[in-house]
């Protein structure tokens, strides 16, 4: 009888231990957090800007080319397949920065009356942006000699204008001449009506 009571007590104790065992609970589901993308910085926006340039004349693939912001004439020439064999590129400034919507003429003269820029290739016997009587000198196309012919501009200041153009790209305003070393207010006053952009 005692054995039976002990067996029943052991059974009840075992059942109690089994009943009180720890039961794993499922982990609560966590909310999904969307990956945070920082807003694009000004530098990445500028880097993504694209220039559309028209390259015409003696190139292997004339037409529109798309280039990254900050591209130079040499990049446009490469994108157009390079110059045709025998093209004289001496008057072409390959280091000049380009601006969106610009046209680069290679090995041909600009049409009469069209503005001439620093990318125009000189053709023997054809003027390419000089200052004729009564015409203003294009700051984006003029050579050292053409700038040197202006009043108060010698070869040193003329070269500084070309250096500014190579470093900053096209002149967008005649007023930017004031940024060129050696051109003060009095000299600028003499020049402003003799030049254009």
């Amino acid at each position: 009888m005692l054995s039976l009571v002990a067996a029943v007590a052991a059974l009840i104790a075992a059942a109690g231990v089994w009943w009180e065992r720890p039961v794993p609970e499922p982990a609560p589901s966590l909310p999904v957090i969307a990956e945070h993308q920082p807003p694009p910085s000004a530098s990445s926006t500028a880097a993504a800007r694209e220039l559309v340039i028209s390259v015409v004349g003696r190139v292997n693939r004339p037409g529109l080319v798309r280039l990254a912001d900050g591209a130079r004439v040499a990049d446009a020439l490469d994108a157009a397949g390079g110059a045709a064999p025998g093209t004289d590129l001496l008057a072409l400034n390959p280091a000049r920065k380009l601006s969106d919507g610009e046209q680069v003429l290679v090995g041909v003269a600009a049409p009469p009356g069209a503005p001439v820029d620093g990318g125009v290739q000189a053709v023997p016997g054809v003027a390419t942006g000089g200052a004729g009587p009564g015409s203003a000198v294009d700051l984006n196309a003029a050579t050292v000699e053409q700038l040197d012919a202006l009043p108060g501009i010698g070869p040193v200041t003329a070269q500084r204008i070309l250096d500014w153009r190579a470093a900053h790209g096209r002149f967008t305003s005649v007023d930017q001449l004031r940024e060129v070393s050696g051109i003060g207010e009095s000299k600028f006053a003499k020049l402003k009506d003799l030049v254009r952009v």
Side-chain angles (χ1 to χ4, degrees):
M1 183 65 129
L2 284 175
S3 298
L4 182 61
V5 170
V8 169
L11 256 164
I12 291 173
V17 169
W18 182 81
W19 189 265
E20 294 296 325
R21 78 187 189 285
V23 178
E25 292 184 16
S29 59
L30 299 173
V32 177
I33 299 174
E35 184 180 340
H36 177 65
Q37 298 273 343
S41 65
S43 60
S44 65
T45 304
R49 204 180 107 187
E50 186 177 63
L51 303 178
V52 178
I53 307 296
S54 170
V55 184
V56 296
R58 295 182 45 85
V59 290
N60 293 316
R61 292 189 310 271
L64 295 179
V65 296
R66 296 181 184 280
L67 302 168
D69 189 26
R72 302 189 182 260
V73 170
D75 300 319
L77 193 58
D78 289 343
T87 303
D88 180 14
L89 300 177
L90 186 61
L92 196 64
N93 179 2
R96 185 174 59 80
K97 282 186 180 178
L98 296 167
S99 57
D100 188 47
E102 187 173 341
Q103 184 173 58
V104 177
L105 301 175
V106 182
V108 295
V116 182
D117 66 33
V120 174
Q121 167 66 38
V123 175
V126 179
T128 58
S135 67
V137 173
D138 186 347
L139 291 173
N140 293 311
T143 63
V144 170
E145 293 77 18
Q146 292 163 341
L147 292 169
D148 185 21
L150 293 169
I153 301 291
V156 172
T157 306
Q159 185 58 52
R160 286 178 183 161
I161 293 172
L162 294 187
D163 293 342
W164 188 99
R165 190 169 72 193
H168 298 92
R170 296 175 55 81
F171 282 90
T172 57
S173 166
V174 170
D175 290 338
Q176 288 176 312
L177 267 181
R178 292 181 172 128
E179 298 174 18
V180 176
S181 175
I183 299 182
E185 288 302 319
S186 61
K187 194 175 288 188
F188 175 75
K190 295 176 190 172
L191 292 172
K192 66 181 181 180
D193 296 327
L194 302 175
V195 295
R196 64 182 174 88
V197 293

